[in-house]
Amino acid sequence: MITFQLSIFFKKYISGIHLVNNQTTIIVKKPYLTAFVICLFYLLVSFCTASCGLKRAQTPNANTKNIAPLLLNPALPGDNPDPSIIRVGKVYYATSTTNEWAPYFTIYKSTDLKNWKLINHVFPDGFKDMKNQWGENNFWASELVYDQKQNRIYAYYTAHNRETKGNRGLQCGTAWIDADKIENGKFTDNGPVIIEDECGAIDAFELQQNGKIYAFWKNDGNGCGKDSWIWKQEINNSRTKLLGQKSKVFTNSQPWETGLVEGACFFTLGEYIYSLYSVGGCCDAKCNYKTGIARTKDLDSGIWEKYGDNPIMQSNDKWNCPGHGTVVNTIEDRLFMLYHAFNKSYDVFVGREGILEELIVGTDGWPVLHNATLPNRPRTDLDFVDNFENDQKLDLAWQWPSKSQRPSMSFDQGLKLAASDENHALGTFLGQYIKTVNFSISAEVKPGMAKTGICLGGAIFKSKWPGELGGIGITASSDGFIVFDNFQGAYNILKTSKENLTGLVQLKMQISNDGKQIEFFYKKQRAEWLSFYRTDFSAAKYAPWGMGYRAGVVVKGDLSQTGTFSYFSLINN
């Protein structure tokens, strides 16, 4: 770098400065004329270089790592795959797949894209809220869309129709709610709208363009030995009926596009309509998901140009298998994509988390992702504490198996949860996302006839479907303590302590070694924590396909019995 001290420069080279006819003239000492010209040349070069460098820094390109510095990721911690995001005025709403857990389809709210709050679900009571209770399982890929003219928010979603066997039972439904009731109202379900008779339909998306409304979806060809395509068709204003004929959009046609295309979202920018789409396997430890982008100037032409530098997002040293998201345009006219990815530090045990990243338009005109987002959300943001003694209703974070009815419960100086022998004799289970792989869960319970305690929930080994719940946990009853495990499909007691328990008891499970070891504790009144049992845990063996583990409370016993909880906490280490 060349620097100039102006006082020395003028003293050495300049003999005078004159103003003649409003023109400034610099008089250079003759012996230094050549040196002056050279120095002036370098001065100009230095100035131009600095100016050009400043300009280049403000012009993003495909390699620019210009992320919003205030974003916190994961934006949606825990098991939030296939996320979707919209903006209504100054407020953002997001949703995500709930897979084999009820309530179905989360609704989150944010005003800054950084802090998100769970405010509702599309179907708070599970299948009871669906038209004719048509959905059975596979509650996937909810997509939100705002219709400004109607002031309604529509949700597209996938479910498997309980009346239809096989892959063709995968169908896309729609539901709606007035936008000003999104926080405390209930969606009205229209039932199945997009049906593919051969292979099923999933991953519906909507684009409003030139006064028309288009629905897009994927035929689930990879599920039945056929090609997978993204399709489109016009849909009516009430989102209850497809209009005209469907047409193909694109399929996997390039060498990097392994196996299938899915999870396509669409947005407009300039003269183009863009589509971000995913390819490959999405949902387990063997995943190879990647994200590409394509564009067209005319939806009806059927001609799509795929980006020459695809994929624009793939696994890196922080995140595994990123993809299947949607794009939102902020008030500041910036584009952000909310998508999912596995945190590499957590294997697949937490599930696919919601990641928010800015799309930057490169010098080639394509909006791309920098593929370098860091997990920077503080651990304290991930902790959860529920003081049931202060509750009048169940916190929205709690879930139950999707094929089951909402468990019977009441609140009277604590949570009173009805007992059962469901879930392969596990009992009644309420759980929520885990958000790391090293954490503790604890609860205070009132021992009674039912076995009441805490549990880490996953999938029964070699289960028929991912929602077949298994678990390992510790319970207390008036007869003593039990550590149990039913992940093999049968209720197995690992350790028991027979004693007459009265008064409140605290229970704790410490999950460590990245989810591979569990230690069980209990604490009686006016006593210290006592380590009761420790075991290695095969976390990979019971990770549900496409889902993360759940941590929660469990009550095992006769239907007439209840278990009472004072509080529950999940603290991440």
Side-chain angles (χ1 to χ4, degrees), residues 554-571:
V554 64
V555 185
K556 176 179 170 64
D558 295 335
L559 295 176
S560 60
Q561 298 171 347
T562 61
T564 301
F565 299 85
S566 300
Y567 77 84
F568 174 89
S569 71
L570 190 159
I571 306 299

Side-chain angles (χ1 to χ4, degrees), residues 379 383 434 436-443 454-456 472-474 483 507-522 529-537 551 569-573:
R379 286 286 177 90
D383 296 342
I434 66 169
T436 66
V437 289
N438 296 287
F439 58 93
S440 66
I441 55 177
S442 60
I454 55 178
C455 175
L456 180 66
I472 184 170
I474 180 172
V483 174
L507 305 171
K508 181 167 70 174
M509 294 171 60
Q510 181 68 55
I511 292 84
S512 57
N513 192 21
D514 296 337
K516 299 179 181 65
Q517 188 174 77
I518 304 177
E519 188 170 6
F520 301 83
F521 303 82
Y522 66 76
W529 282 106
L530 178 65
S531 177
F532 185 54
Y533 185 74
R534 178 186 294 180
T535 183
D536 292 333
F537 181 64
S569 71
L570 190 159
I571 306 299
N572 296 278
N573 301 329

Side-chain angles (χ1 to χ4, degrees), residues 27 40 93 96 105 107 184 253 281 319 349 359 368 467 488 490:
I27 302 173
L40 184 60
Y93 298 102
S96 61
F105 309 122
I107 303 290
N184 50 28
S253 59
W319 304 101
F349 308 146
L359 283 156
V368 296
Q488 297 292 326

Side-chain angles (χ1 to χ4, degrees), residues 453-502:
I454 55 178
C455 175
L456 180 66
I460 293 291
F461 184 57
K462 295 184 178 179
S463 59
K464 296 178 182 178
W465 63 291
E468 199 169 5
L469 178 66
I472 184 170
I474 180 172
T475 60
S477 68
S478 55
D479 294 332
F481 300 100
I482 289 177
V483 174
F484 66 89
D485 179 347
N486 81 325
F487 275 118
Q488 297 292 326
Y491 189 81
N492 180 31
I493 295 177
L494 303 179
K495 186 173 182 179
T496 184
S497 173
K498 294 287 186 180
E499 53 186 294
N500 184 24
L501 293 178
T502 59

Side-chain angles (χ1 to χ4, degrees), residues 212-233:
K212 294 183 178 181
I213 307 170
Y214 294 95
F216 298 82
W217 69 93
K218 169 205 173 187
N219 71 297
D220 199 44
N222 55 289
C224 63
K226 304 290 185 180
D227 292 336
S228 296
W229 280 83
I230 304 300
W231 294 81
K232 77 170 177 69
Q233 191 168 350

Side-chain angles (χ1 to χ4, degrees), residues 120-138:
N120 206 346
H121 291 84
V122 176
F123 301 126
D125 285 320
F127 59 80
K128 283 191 172 183
D129 291 328
M130 303 178 75
K131 185 177 182 180
N132 301 323
Q133 301 184 8
W134 75 273
E136 180 180 32
N137 57 286
N138 300 135

Side-chain angles (χ1 to χ4, degrees), residues 190-493:
N190 293 325
V193 177
I194 303 172
I195 300 172
E196 287 278 356
D197 290 333
E198 188 173 25
C199 293
I202 68 172
D203 298 351
F205 189 88
E206 178 182 301
L207 179 69
Q208 300 169 27
Q209 182 75 6
N210 296 328
K212 294 183 178 181
I213 307 170
Y214 294 95
F216 298 82
W217 69 93
K218 169 205 173 187
N219 71 297
D220 199 44
N222 55 289
C224 63
K226 304 290 185 180
D227 292 336
S228 296
W229 280 83
I230 304 300
W231 294 81
K232 77 170 177 69
Q233 191 168 350
E234 192 178 349
I235 193 170
N236 65 355
N237 288 332
S238 60
R239 281 70 167 181
T240 56
K241 183 179 180 181
L242 295 172
L243 306 175
Q245 298 296 316
K246 68 179 183 179
S247 61
K248 291 179 176 178
V249 180
F250 53 76
T251 187
N252 49 311
S253 59
Q254 296 182 340
W256 72 275
E257 296 172 337
T258 52
L260 57 90
V261 290
E262 65 179 23
C265 73
F266 299 81
F267 64 96
T268 58
L269 181 64
E271 59 182 337
Y272 287 101
I273 298 166
Y274 288 89
S275 176
L276 287 157
Y277 62 95
S278 299
V279 305
C282 65
C283 306
D284 57 24
K286 297 179 181 179
C287 66
N288 60 348
Y289 228 37
K290 301 179 183 69
T291 297
I293 190 168
R295 69 185 182 185
T296 185
K297 290 184 178 180
D298 183 4
L299 271 182
D300 294 327
S301 70
I303 300 173
W304 285 80
E305 174 193 6
K306 292 184 177 179
Y307 187 43
D309 287 336
N310 275 338
I312 63 170
M313 188 166 59
Q314 56 189 321
S315 297
N316 56 36
D317 62 338
K318 298 297 183 184
W319 304 101
N320 211 23
C321 301
H324 198 147
T326 59
V327 174
V328 67
N329 195 346
T330 68
I331 297 174
E332 298 80 17
D333 200 27
R334 298 167 67 183
L335 295 174
F336 288 85
M337 183 183 185
L338 181 65
Y339 60 88
H340 72 229
F342 291 110
N343 187 320
K344 275 198 169 179
S345 298
Y346 304 155
D347 203 309
V348 296
F349 308 146
V350 169
R352 293 163 288 166
E353 303 186 274
I355 313 301
L356 195 61
E357 182 176 333
E358 187 169 7
L359 283 156
I360 301 296
V361 179
T363 54
D364 56 10
W366 286 83
V368 296
L369 300 157
H370 58 75
N371 202 193
T373 298
L374 299 175
N376 64 338
R377 184 172 289 279
R379 286 286 177 90
T380 52
D381 281 7
L382 309 179
D383 296 342
F384 177 87
V385 177
D386 196 338
N387 188 340
F388 295 119
E389 293 181 333
N390 295 334
D391 290 347
Q392 299 297 317
K393 61 181 180 179
L394 191 67
D395 190 283
L396 293 173
W398 292 104
Q399 301 176 311
W400 61 91
S402 67
K403 288 188 177 182
S404 301
Q405 295 189 28
R406 181 185 179 94
S408 178
M409 69 191 77
S410 63
F411 290 90
D412 181 13
Q413 297 182 334
L415 167 65
K416 297 185 184 306
L417 183 63
S420 75
D421 205 36
E422 295 178 350
N423 303 307
H424 295 269
L426 178 75
T428 302
F429 178 78
L430 285 175
Q432 58 180 269
Y433 308 144
I434 66 169
K435 297 172 183 176
T436 66
V437 289
N438 296 287
F439 58 93
S440 66
I441 55 177
S442 60
E444 185 176 71
V445 304
K446 182 178 180 181
M449 294 297 293
K451 297 176 176 64
T452 305
I454 55 178
C455 175
L456 180 66
I460 293 291
F461 184 57
K462 295 184 178 179
S463 59
K464 296 178 182 178
W465 63 291
E468 199 169 5
L469 178 66
I472 184 170
I474 180 172
T475 60
S477 68
S478 55
D479 294 332
F481 300 100
I482 289 177
V483 174
F484 66 89
D485 179 347
N486 81 325
F487 275 118
Q488 297 292 326
Y491 189 81
N492 180 31
I493 295 177

